[in-house]
Amino acid sequence: MKLRTIPIALVTTGVLLGSGLGPATAAPPTTLAGPNIPVSAVQADLAQLQSIATSNGGNRAHGRPGYLASVNWVKSKLDAAGFTTRVQSFTSNGATGYNLIADWPGGDLNNVVMLGGHLDSVSAGPGINDNGTGSAGLLEVALAVRSSGFQPTKHLRFAWWGAEELGLIGSTYYVNSLSTTDRSRIDAYLNFDMIGSPNPGYFVYSASGQPSGSLQLQQTLQGYFGSIGVPTELTSVGGRSDHAAFARAGIPVGGTFTGAEGIKTSAQAQKWGGSAGVAFDRCYHRSCDTSSNVNATALDRNTDAIAHTLWTLAA
């Protein structure tokens, strides 16, 4: 997640569906959809990303060999599963960056559900929570599309963005490269950036101020967490992650987040567990953001939320 100097604005919602942004009756049903994604598989992916960083100077940052190695590894997994992949290159800060785009064959190409997260780390460390967690969760959900035999009505597209940490460069480049027609074909974009913070919160992107259609995404994610008994708070992520370019293009956006440098309050600790007065991620943008800097329960719940939302929106 791209650093900014002001804290994230939080809006607490005590009612999981119908948060004041729209009528509760408009919320989609909370019946579970989608497969359970084994957290052990996501953790194995994080171990691989850690190994890549360790072998490449300790990071997976834009313009560094660890980032390209990360792209190549994720691409190889998707290619083997039958996805149609392409690597989109761009230049930033005098170095070549890469976006990885993966399409699942079939579904209505005029109605695309797109999910993404950034694959790059900062140069200070391996970036396992930020954002190995979102990257690995998306990868396992994508692989589950194949293994489950899911046949979505809508077309599925996944993305792993480059140079997010330098200012959302990769995702912005991608959206700007689309024609007006291609933008109009994307029904929804869901972003997953930091989904396993060690002192986690359970935040859902607020639809307030976002393009029309974003409320459905917010409520679908809230509905999943409500169905497993986990309260959520709405967060105004603003321009802090890769959904921002899609929102500017008028595409409905949503996502989840478990917290970065913000401090967990006593009320949040009572609600979610963990430590009050401590950052959600004390290793945010630091060298200690390693594979030991991840809460397995938060990672598991958020990955299953990704699957649930994808199956709900695309079926």
Side-chain angles (χ1 to χ4, degrees), residues 218-268:
Q218 173 197 307
Q219 291 177 328
T220 302
L221 288 162
Q222 287 177 302
Y224 173 75
F225 284 108
S227 74
I228 62 171
V230 176
T232 57
E233 289 183 4
L234 296 181
T235 180
S236 177
V237 185
R240 195 172 183 183
S241 196
D242 290 299
H243 65 291
F246 292 85
R248 287 194 297 270
I251 297 167
V253 295
T256 66
F257 174 50
T258 54
E261 78 279 26
I263 304 300
K264 180 178 279 189
T265 66
S266 296
Q268 289 169 333

Side-chain angles (χ1 to χ4, degrees), residues 10 35 46 56 65 72 94 97 101 110 134 147 159 164 167 175 180 190 198 210 227 237 241 259 274 284-285 295:
L10 297 177
L46 295 180
N56 289 279
N72 290 336
I101 313 297
N110 289 314
S147 63
E164 188 268 1
V175 173
T180 301
L190 290 146
Q210 300 297 350
S227 74
V237 185
S241 196
Y284 177 65
H285 283 186
N295 181 282

Side-chain angles (χ1 to χ4, degrees), residues 72-250:
N72 290 336
W73 176 72
V74 175
K75 183 178 185 299
S76 70
K77 300 273 283 186
L78 295 164
D79 287 340
F83 280 81
T84 301
T85 63
R86 66 185 179 97
V87 176
Q88 181 184 52
S89 61
F90 57 89
T91 301
S92 179
N93 279 16
T96 301
Y98 305 95
N99 293 325
L100 173 61
I101 313 297
D103 286 83
W104 182 244
D108 184 357
L109 288 168
N110 289 314
N111 291 278
V112 178
V113 175
M114 189 168 184
L115 302 90
H118 73 92
L119 187 55
D120 65 314
S121 74
V122 293
S123 58
I128 300 305
N129 185 40
D130 184 16
N131 181 40
T133 53
S135 295
L138 287 165
L139 175 59
E140 290 304 321
V141 170
L143 297 178
V145 170
R146 180 184 186 277
S147 63
S148 69
F150 182 41
Q151 295 182 329
T153 300
K154 296 187 177 183
H155 183 75
L156 305 185
R157 181 173 299 148
F158 293 80
W160 288 263
W161 306 117
E164 188 268 1
E165 298 291 6
L166 300 186
L168 319 179
I169 305 298
S171 54
T172 301
Y173 182 87
Y174 172 80
V175 173
N176 289 345
S177 75
L178 297 175
S179 67
T180 301
T181 299
D182 284 339
R183 291 183 188 182
S184 71
R185 290 172 172 154
I186 302 175
D187 288 350
Y189 173 75
L190 290 146
N191 193 66
F192 300 95
D193 188 353
M194 301 181 68
I195 63 170
S197 298
N199 189 31
Y202 290 88
F203 301 109
V204 171
Y205 290 15
S206 172
S208 180
Q210 300 297 350
S212 175
S214 299
L215 182 59
Q216 181 191 6
L217 309 184
Q218 173 197 307
Q219 291 177 328
T220 302
L221 288 162
Q222 287 177 302
Y224 173 75
F225 284 108
S227 74
I228 62 171
V230 176
T232 57
E233 289 183 4
L234 296 181
T235 180
S236 177
V237 185
R240 195 172 183 183
S241 196
D242 290 299
H243 65 291
F246 292 85
R248 287 194 297 270

